[in-house]
């Protein structure tokens, strides 16, 4: 293909990507997105999150962090209020900050945390405040083209819809927040490895009962690179029985994913990978990457499962964004159930494997019930788990 033709396809791809990814947010929160509202409102719910980031602090007021990178970690804490009119899976964006708490997501408090020691102390304090057995830390890593406020509000939506009762921890890297910034974002996600590693080690040091690490889109590249780095340095975290990894719509090359999974050998708990063959954003990403397929839109779930991961194929789930790239957000109140099932330690005993397979199957039925009769989720589990007598695919239909 000649350079001009190839260039035109790239430009066209970026234009499509801009339309499908950004259209849902007409006025994006480049600044002022953390403006606090103290207006009272009844029937709201609040989510309190801790934040670790490799973003530089923003010069604009009421913004906290911008799009520039920095090497050292910085920290913050934010409380977001969700309106009583909230539709699960959606973010009700204010037309302008700070918004109306009766109808919009609004920030109730936002402040920097003074250093890593204070961050770890606050995390430990919040975990200790939970009943023993419920001290779960949920670490979320956002994807490409995501501004700081967008990462905060998406995580708030997810934790609220899932009724997550542990401690949410957002790790946010320096995305440019621009559809043309794919290369910048990829480099930023790569640079974030050390910061993410330290964040995961800090979370583990507070000794939560359970750690769920969830990444979306290009955030999975940052996560895989970090896990690889931790494995090679002898600081593996995925060999712990209380750690579960959930990868939503991974914007990762298939060959690279296979390489990383082979290096990570056998994590204590299988990774959970959410895919969708109609993910338009990953289609464009693959085009920009020279036609290389992405894990998050790969059609052969059986091949993926042979790498030791559990695959949830969400193709038949109707997305609420034009790109079909945020389907994970629609399953917020079910993904923790699946993660909890996966986090049961697999010790190789056949009876234990049989019990684990049943728990995955039950989670699948719950997913099917949540989605409704018009859609289905295909759950494909590794043969090592399914060999206890169950099929490798559980297809919930809602007809129980």
């Amino acid at each position: 293909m000649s350079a001009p033709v190839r260039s035109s396809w790239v430009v066209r791809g970026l234009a499509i990507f801009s339309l499908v990814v950004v259209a849902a947010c007409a006025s994006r929160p480049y600044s002022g997105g953390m403006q606090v509202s103290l207006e009272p409102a009844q029937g709201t719910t609040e989510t309190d999150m801790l934040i670790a980031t490799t973003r530089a602090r923003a010069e604009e007021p009421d913004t906290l962090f911008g799009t520039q990178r920095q090497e050292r970690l910085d920290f913050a804490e934010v409380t977001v209020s969700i309106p009583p009119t909230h539709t699960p899976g959606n973010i009700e964006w204010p037309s302008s900050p700070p918004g109306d708490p009766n109808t919009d997501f609004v920030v109730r408090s936002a402040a920097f945390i003074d250093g890593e020691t204070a961050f770890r102390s606050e995390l430990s304090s919040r975990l200790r405040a939970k009943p023993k057995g419920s001290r779960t830390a949920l670490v979320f890593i956002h994807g490409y083209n995501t501004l700081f406020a967008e990462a905060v509000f998406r995580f708030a939506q997810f934790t609220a819809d899932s009724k997550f009762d542990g401690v949410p921890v957002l790790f946010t890297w320096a995305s440019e927040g621009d559809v043309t910034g794919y290369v910048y974002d990829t480099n930023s996600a790569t640079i974030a490895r050390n910061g993410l590693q330290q964040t995961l080690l800090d979370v583990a040091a507070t000794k939560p009962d359970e750690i769920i690490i969830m990444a979306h889109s290009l955030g999975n590249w940052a996560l895989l690179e970090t896990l690889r780095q931790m494995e090679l340095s002898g600081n593996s975290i995925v060999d712990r029985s209380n750690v579960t990894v959930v990868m939503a719509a991974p914007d990762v090359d298939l060959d690279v994913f296979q390489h990383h999974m082979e290096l990570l050998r056998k994590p204590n708990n299988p990774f959970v990978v959410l895919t969708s063959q109609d993910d338009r954003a990953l289609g464009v990403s693959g085009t920009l990457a020279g036609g290389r397929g992405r894990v998050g839109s790969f059609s052969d779930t059986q091949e993926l499962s042979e790498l030791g991961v559990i695959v949830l194929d969400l193709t038949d789930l109707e997305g609420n964004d034009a790109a079909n790239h945020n389907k994970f957000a629609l399953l917020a109140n079910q993904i923790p159930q699946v993660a909890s099932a996966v986090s049961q330690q697999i010790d190789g005993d056949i009876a234990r494997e049989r019990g684990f397979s049943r728990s995955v199957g039950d989670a699948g039925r719950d997913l099917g019930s949540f989605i409704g009769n018009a859609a289905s989720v295909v759950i494909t589990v590794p043969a090592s788990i399914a060999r206890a007598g169950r099929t490798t695919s559980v297809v919930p239909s809602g007809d129980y």
Side-chain angles (χ1 to χ4, degrees):
M1 180 181 291
S2 67
V5 173
R6 183 175 181 83
S7 177
S8 68
W9 272 103
V10 170
V11 172
R12 183 168 177 250
L14 287 172
I16 295 171
F17 208 2
S18 178
L19 288 172
V20 298
V21 175
V22 183
C25 185
S27 179
R28 300 182 68 190
Y30 287 95
S31 63
M34 291 293 103
Q35 185 175 340
V36 171
S37 169
L38 300 178
E39 180 182 344
Q42 294 185 342
T44 61
T45 57
E46 291 187 352
T47 181
D48 302 308
M49 69 182 72
L50 295 174
I51 297 168
T53 183
T54 53
R55 294 177 186 259
R57 295 189 181 188
E59 297 180 358
E60 300 82 1
D62 300 319
T63 305
L64 289 191
F65 298 103
T67 62
Q68 298 301 305
R69 309 165 182 148
Q70 65 176 18
E71 290 187 13
R72 66 178 181 84
L73 275 173
D74 206 347
F75 307 92
E77 53 186 331
V78 173
T79 299
V80 177
S81 172
I82 289 85
T85 56
H86 169 63
T87 300
N90 291 343
I91 299 174
E92 285 78 19
W93 284 96
S95 57
S96 61
D100 180 354
N102 293 288
T103 57
D104 307 327
F105 277 54
V106 300
V107 177
R108 290 305 197 183
S109 66
F112 295 112
I113 293 176
D114 188 17
E116 184 180 348
T117 300
F119 169 80
R120 187 188 292 193
S121 176
E122 181 63 26
L123 174 59
S124 180
S125 176
R126 294 189 184 196
L127 285 168
R128 288 197 308 270
K130 305 290 181 182
K132 192 165 179 59
S134 300
R135 296 169 181 170
T136 300
L138 172 61
V139 181
F140 178 66
I141 307 146
H142 64 78
Y144 158 64
N145 188 21
T146 302
L147 298 169
F148 174 71
E150 291 171 336
V152 168
F153 278 24
R154 175 57 72 192
F155 194 30
Q157 171 268 314
F158 185 88
T159 55
D161 288 354
S162 66
K163 296 181 173 55
F164 177 66
D165 194 34
V167 179
V169 179
L170 171 65
F171 181 84
T172 172
W173 46 276
S175 170
E176 192 172 24
D178 190 293
V179 71
T180 64
Y182 191 79
V183 173
Y184 179 89
D185 278 17
T186 301
N187 290 335
S188 291
T190 304
I191 291 170
R193 288 174 299 191
N194 290 347
L196 180 54
Q197 172 175 318
Q198 190 57 54
T199 300
L200 294 178
L201 291 174
D202 284 341
V203 170
T206 61
K207 302 187 184 308
D209 297 326
E210 185 176 10
I211 301 172
I212 301 172
I213 307 168
M214 183 172 186
H216 178 234
S217 188
L218 194 58
N220 286 284
W221 168 248
L223 176 60
L224 283 175
E225 281 286 282
T226 299
L227 295 180
R228 175 184 182 276
Q229 176 172 294
M230 295 176 77
E231 181 76 28
L232 293 174
S233 64
N235 290 312
S236 175
I237 194 171
V238 296
D239 61 355
R240 306 183 186 207
S241 63
N242 67 334
V243 174
T244 300
V245 173
V246 181
M247 305 178 68
D251 187 359
V252 178
D253 180 284
L254 284 164
D255 293 338
V256 171
F257 182 68
Q258 179 178 358
H259 169 76
H260 279 72
M261 294 309 297
E262 289 174 351
L263 179 67
L264 293 171
R265 303 187 187 96
K266 294 182 179 180
N268 199 291
N269 299 306
F271 291 10
V272 180
V273 179
L274 278 62
T275 67
S276 186
Q277 297 167 43
D278 61 353
D279 190 320
R280 297 185 180 94
L282 293 182
V284 174
S285 172
T287 299
L288 296 177
R292 302 299 302 171
R294 317 315 278 172
V295 173
S297 57
F298 191 50
S299 60
D300 193 337
T301 58
Q302 186 63 48
E303 183 177 335
L304 283 181
S305 76
E306 289 172 0
L307 297 176
V309 302
I310 293 176
V311 184
L312 274 65
D313 185 352
L314 310 183
T315 302
D316 290 337
L317 172 61
E318 184 177 353
N320 66 349
D321 66 298
N324 291 321
H325 193 51
N326 292 319
K327 289 186 179 182
F328 81 99
L330 296 172
L331 296 180
N333 66 344
Q334 299 300 323
I335 287 176
Q337 279 184 271
V338 178
S340 179
V342 174
S343 67
Q344 300 176 47
Q345 184 175 357
I346 303 169
D347 58 11
D349 180 80
I350 293 298
R352 183 63 179 270
E353 280 194 12
R354 185 179 296 115
F356 178 77
S357 297
R358 276 201 297 269
S359 70
V360 172
D362 291 342
R365 291 186 177 87
D366 289 340
L367 283 164
S369 177
F370 170 68
I371 295 166
N373 295 331
S376 64
V377 171
V378 179
I379 301 179
T380 307
V381 300
S384 60
I385 296 175
R387 69 168 182 260
R390 293 184 58 88
T391 176
T392 56
S393 295
V394 180
V395 185
S397 64
D399 301 322
Y400 316 124

